[in-house]
Amino acid sequence: MAHPRQHLLGIESLARQEIESILDSATSMKEVLRRDIKKVPALRGKTVINCFFESSTRTRSSFEIAAKILSADAVNWSSSGSSTSKGETLIDTAKNLEAMRPDIIVIRHGASGAPNLVASRVGCAVVNAGDGAHEHPSQALLDAFTLRERWGSLEGRTVAIVGDIRHSRVARSNVYCLQRLGAKVRLCGPPTMLPLGVEALGCEVTSDLRTAVGGADAVMMLRIQTERISESLFPTGREYSRYYGLSRAKLDWLKEDALVLHPGPINRGVELEPEVADGDRSVILDQVENGVAVRMAILLRAAGAGPEATSA
Amino acid sequence: MRPEMIVLQNGRVLDPATGVDGARTVRIENGRIAAIDDPGARQPAGAQVLDCAGRWIVPGLVDLHVHLREPGEEYKETILSGLRSAVAGGFTAVVSMPNTKPVIDNAHLVRFVLDKAKEAGLAKVYPSGATTKGQKGEALAEYGDMKSAGAVMMTDDGHPVMNPGIMRRALEYAKAFDLPIMVHEEDLNLAAGGCMHEGTVSMRLGLKGFPAAAEDVMVLRDIELASLTGGRLHIGHLSTAGAVRAVREAKRRGLRVTAEATPHHFTLTDEAVATYDTNAKMCPPLRSQEHVDAVLEGLADGTIDAIATDHAPHSSVEKDVEFERASNGIVGLETAVPLTLALVRRGVIGEKRAIELLSTGPCRAFGLPGGTLAVGAAADVTVIDPAAEWTVEPASFESKGRNSPFGGWKVQGRAVLVMVDGRIVHGGEQRSR
């Protein structure tokens, strides 16, 4: 069955059924990913441009591997040393890339809404790989996939998201995604990292870590994005770690089988003590593997192909 | 065309300054209001008679806050195109802002603006000069010299005067020339690079917001400085509930404080940003409903003296970019009348108050001539068709700017005839007989 070509600009506009459809598709993709010969012809003849205006290793590699497993031709474009650094506007860059007839543009950009702007000006599908402090939909989908893989369903579960909620695109996308799949979300961080108006997200909000993680089924620790924080939001990394980092001692606050997630890269010793990051509750490396499977599903959807395309 | 005598017949004269509201005939002779007669009064032979049935004849509209962009950014607007935009919107006079390139902080540039305006021969221009040299907020500009050249007000608009010591001296020094100081109220430390109102919408969009308090604290500071100095303070484009409260209280205290609000701030909320539409990006930013409601209250109860457009044309170079990078501002002159009349239809303000806010009030705030149809006054007259329905099409603006969040809006009310010193500068062709 052919699917219409679709952008993925964020989770906020997705219905539960659409999210579940992507996660279901990712289940098949993970099976492909684990084969000895990781290659299916689903996107043969299609071109994917990974257009990264912000540095990224994990997300870009993940999209690139996903595209290649699906037999798409993946091209990596980065803004450093490009026409952008010569002053070209985002719209001109996007239109020039579009003129090369790609089927999908995967875009990461430091400005919130940049993928929306590109999507409004190009004819191909646009996938948001993280825009400013807005959304990071593929991250939220891979997080949900990881949790669903462990639990079967997110219905009735409680997930605590801890850290810089204000600047986190991961937090926003996860709130929408987890809530839509039936989970309760708690947000926790120092008040300087909780944005004004956060209550509109419909989450429990607290600045007390113990309250946030107590009884939660999973704890998602956010990375302190020192490169994005220009203001003084906390006095020192030492104090942040003491009140908002997850140490081995604090694991006692969690439910016995609670999972620990982190979108990476980890600031070891700040958000997570190494023993926690590498401990048996951590599913951080599962997240990375599942990221490829989920991004395969996202690319299939964007190209207008269903998961059945991989069975050929 | 400038006949000796023009008669505006069959219209409703609405003049808040003289209190006239009813069917009258307006006779204009030699560029001045010669008579406001009863409808049936016989008019001298040889007059050009214009039929204004169903229309309002009001004192020419005056906009206290307009960016004409010349000198320096003529690709966005020129004094000529800006004044074409002004008369198309019903304005017979505008106060021009000094944040041009170079900044208008000396008498020569004030004269340049006046010369260009005279060449254009459309709406009148009252130039403003910068509060501080180069609008850098460091040293006072030459107020006396600029006033002698024709400046009516001093402002660093576009920039707040962050140093309270400089602001105090500005208010003090301007007293010698009885000049108001207009302020752009934004504490830059609180704004911290934010690009929209801080609240639920900015949180959802992941855009850096800045709080209403960034405006409030500066308004409160400057009101206290006005109290200290006895200077004339005018709050430009006021947008928050806190600012409205502060101005109301300042007036109650008898301070020389006036304020203006823009049509976009009383018409739109920050929800207009929800699609990252850069046409909705402005400074101060569009606020949440509670602030809009407070501004409406201020317009109704007399706290706010004037509706000003903050007409800020930009080109696609500044607007067709990522939201965070886009310039602030919208084309304001050509949509002010219908947006103000929408408040009348909603029952927020009455018809007379609407005209007061667009004409009499602005003139009073800065002590400008105009704002009345009194016999003997210059014949700056705007004829409004309050029932005219039309669709806002930015591509058809007289302004060079196309940046409007109101594109595609179906609106009601339009200036159909504009006269400056008795000379028709816009419309009027169809109804002449």
Side-chain angles (χ1 to χ4, degrees):
Chain A
M1 186 180 77
H3 297 256
R5 183 172 296 188
Q6 287 186 62
H7 300 307
L8 179 65
L9 301 177
I11 303 288
E12 191 182 8
S13 59
L14 295 186
R16 177 172 184 157
Q17 196 186 355
E18 290 174 280
I19 294 171
E20 284 179 337
S21 160
I22 296 169
L23 300 185
D24 291 343
S25 166
T27 306
S28 317
M29 296 306 110
K30 187 161 179 179
E31 184 270 315
V32 173
L33 177 63
R34 288 193 162 186
R35 287 180 195 168
D36 282 346
I37 308 295
K38 294 182 256 302
K39 199 76 165 177
V40 288
L43 296 187
R44 190 168 55 198
K46 305 282 186 188
T47 306
V48 177
I49 300 185
N50 285 325
C51 192
F52 277 58
F53 291 84
E54 267 189 349
S55 59
S56 159
T57 308
R58 192 176 321 244
T59 304
R60 180 158 74 176
S61 308
S62 186
F63 269 111
E64 187 179 353
I65 291 167
K68 285 180 170 162
I69 292 175
L70 296 171
S71 301
D73 294 304
V75 177
N76 288 328
W77 182 98
S78 76
S79 57
S80 58
S82 74
S83 45
T84 303
S85 56
K86 296 172 190 162
E88 188 171 68
T89 67
L90 174 60
I91 290 171
D92 281 341
T93 301
K95 286 198 150 305
N96 276 282
L97 291 176
E98 185 199 20
M100 299 175 200
R101 299 284 166 201
D103 298 278
I104 302 168
I105 292 178
V106 177
I107 175 171
R108 163 166 291 192
H109 200 287
S112 299
N116 303 58
L117 180 61
V118 170
S120 71
R121 304 302 171 94
V122 299
C124 60
V126 174
V127 172
N128 178 4
D131 62 325
H134 177 220
E135 284 228 38
H136 195 346
S138 63
Q139 179 69 42
L141 290 165
L142 75 87
D143 290 339
F145 183 87
T146 304
L147 294 173
R148 196 177 81 155
E149 199 174 40
R150 291 290 180 123
W151 298 336
S153 163
L154 272 67
E155 197 67 56
R157 298 283 186 166
T158 299
V159 180
I161 304 178
V162 179
D164 185 2
I165 310 296
R166 183 192 294 274
H167 296 99
S168 175
R169 52 196 176 208
V170 174
R172 281 166 183 73
S173 284
N174 261 300
V175 167
Y176 302 132
C177 191
L178 296 170
Q179 285 181 336
R180 225 145 281 174
L181 294 173
K184 267 177 37 180
V185 181
R186 292 180 192 156
L187 298 176
C188 175
T192 48
M193 290 179 161
L194 296 170
L196 212 66
V198 69
E199 61 284 349
L201 291 174
C203 305
E204 288 175 40
V205 181
T206 176
S207 287
D208 180 65
L209 182 63
R210 191 169 194 151
T211 306
V213 303
D217 296 290
V219 180
M220 197 175 281
M221 304 301 290
L222 299 176
R223 186 170 71 87
I224 294 301
Q225 300 183 60
T226 43
E227 75 277 17
R228 300 180 70 87
I229 300 172
S230 55
E231 319 160 67
S232 174
L233 299 180
F234 56 90
T236 57
R238 184 188 147 276
E239 179 155 308
Y240 180 87
S241 167
R242 179 170 173 194
Y243 290 97
Y244 297 99
L246 209 49
S247 61
R248 203 160 48 170
K250 290 181 202 164
L251 284 181
D252 290 344
W253 300 350
L254 275 60
K255 276 168 86 170
E256 205 170 320
D257 57 352
L259 303 173
V260 174
L261 296 91
H262 192 294
I266 305 166
N267 295 310
R268 284 179 180 259
V270 182
E271 304 104 37
L272 292 172
E273 270 189 1
E275 294 80 357
V276 178
D278 305 328
D280 54 5
R281 299 179 193 215
S282 166
V283 291
I284 293 169
L285 293 176
D286 295 0
Q287 289 174 272
V288 178
E289 180 186 7
N290 291 337
V292 178
V294 164
R295 288 174 178 123
M296 288 166 71
I298 289 169
L299 292 178
L300 281 176
R301 175 182 181 270
E308 66 276 8
T310 59
S311 57
Chain B
M1 177 168 50
R2 184 171 181 169
E4 291 294 301
M5 201 181 306
I6 297 178
V7 173
L8 304 178
Q9 221 169 36
N10 298 328
R12 170 186 173 190
V13 172
L14 194 50
D15 181 15
T18 58
V20 175
D21 181 2
R24 298 284 193 284
T25 295
V26 177
R27 192 170 82 238
I28 293 153
E29 284 181 34
N30 299 320
R32 299 205 160 262
I33 307 287
I36 305 287
D37 293 327
D38 286 336
R42 277 180 68 85
Q43 296 300 329
Q48 181 189 4
V49 178
L50 300 174
D51 181 16
C52 297
R55 280 137 191 221
W56 300 352
I57 302 168
V58 305
L61 309 185
V62 178
D63 191 340
L64 296 181
H65 197 147
V66 170
H67 297 271
L68 294 174
R69 304 296 188 208
E70 188 177 358
E73 293 181 310
E74 289 85 351
Y75 69 101
K76 295 184 183 183
E77 194 82 291
T78 60
I79 290 173
L80 177 63
S81 66
L83 295 181
R84 281 188 180 137
S85 184
V87 296
F91 291 92
T92 56
V94 301
V95 176
S96 61
M97 293 298 112
N99 60 334
T100 47
K101 291 178 180 171
V103 168
I104 297 171
D105 61 1
N106 61 69
H108 303 295
L109 284 171
V110 171
R111 284 192 203 100
F112 166 84
V113 172
L114 285 169
D115 288 348
K116 284 280 182 180
K118 195 172 170 191
E119 266 175 43
L122 295 163
K124 294 171 179 171
V125 175
Y126 298 113
S128 63
T131 307
T132 63
K133 285 179 191 156
Q135 292 195 313
K136 290 181 178 159
E138 293 163 1
L140 301 186
E142 294 174 333
Y143 299 176
D145 218 19
M146 285 194 278
K147 178 165 181 178
S148 299
V152 299
M153 178 272 285
M154 298 294 137
T155 182
D156 274 359
D157 183 56
H159 310 274
V161 178
M162 281 303 293
N163 183 330
I166 297 288
M167 189 62 203
R168 172 199 176 160
R169 297 306 177 205
L171 284 162
E172 274 173 352
Y173 186 65
K175 280 200 305 179
F177 308 100
D178 195 28
L179 286 166
I181 303 281
M182 179 174 120
V183 279
H184 168 115
E185 299 294 49
E186 179 189 358
D187 183 300
L188 296 176
N189 296 308
L190 275 172
C195 61
M196 70 173 293
H197 176 65
E198 185 175 0
T200 307
V201 180
S202 67
M203 185 271 304
R204 197 158 45 80
L205 294 176
L207 287 173
K208 190 163 186 178
F210 65 100
E215 181 169 329
D216 300 346
V217 298
M218 291 289 275
V219 171
L220 289 164
R221 180 199 80 171
D222 289 341
I223 284 172
E224 288 313 311
L225 292 175
S227 170
L228 173 71
T229 59
R232 287 170 66 187
L233 177 72
H234 179 77
I235 314 285
H237 45 42
L238 151 161
S239 73
T240 66
V244 175
R245 269 197 308 273
V247 171
R248 189 178 290 130
E249 173 63 11
K251 288 193 161 171
R252 199 191 59 73
R253 289 164 64 190
L255 302 177
R256 302 174 81 194
V257 174
T258 52
E260 67 185 38
T262 74
H264 44 275
H265 286 116
F266 64 66
T267 304
L268 300 170
T269 68
D270 55 351
E271 289 288 348
V273 180
T275 56
Y276 297 99
D277 180 4
T278 57
N279 287 317
K281 187 179 181 197
M282 38 210 107
C283 187
L286 297 173
R287 305 285 186 189
S288 56
Q289 191 64 51
E290 62 185 298
H291 296 288
V292 175
D293 290 343
V295 170
L296 292 174
E297 208 180 312
L299 288 167
D301 71 8
T303 302
I304 296 167
D305 302 85
I307 287 171
T309 69
D310 193 5
H311 176 80
H314 288 291
S315 79
S316 61
V317 174
E318 289 83 22
K319 284 290 193 181
D320 218 6
V321 295
E322 300 88 315
F323 191 89
E324 294 168 14
R325 291 184 52 210
S327 293
N328 294 308
I330 73 164
V331 171
L333 288 163
E334 296 175 57
T335 48
V337 164
L339 296 175
T340 303
L341 294 192
L343 299 186
V344 174
R345 284 197 302 282
R346 284 165 52 195
V348 176
I349 53 174
E351 293 161 344
K352 202 159 88 178
R353 176 70 179 145
I355 301 307
E356 183 177 43
L357 284 161
L358 285 167
S359 177
T360 317
C363 288
R364 223 167 21 215
F366 284 2
L368 302 174
T372 179
L373 294 176
V375 172
D380 295 349
V381 183
T382 300
V383 178
I384 291 171
D385 180 350
E389 289 182 0
W390 57 288
T391 301
V392 179
E393 288 169 5
S396 319
F397 282 161
E398 292 291 337
S399 167
K400 285 189 178 184
R402 300 287 176 260
N403 48 308
S404 169
F406 303 112
W409 279 41
K410 292 193 185 332
V411 295
Q412 198 178 327
R414 192 166 206 171
V416 291
L417 173 75
V418 179
M419 299 171 79
V420 173
D421 288 329
R423 199 163 50 88
I424 296 172
V425 291
H426 171 73
E429 302 85 2
Q430 303 303 316
R431 310 263 291 192
S432 179
R433 67 181 171 84

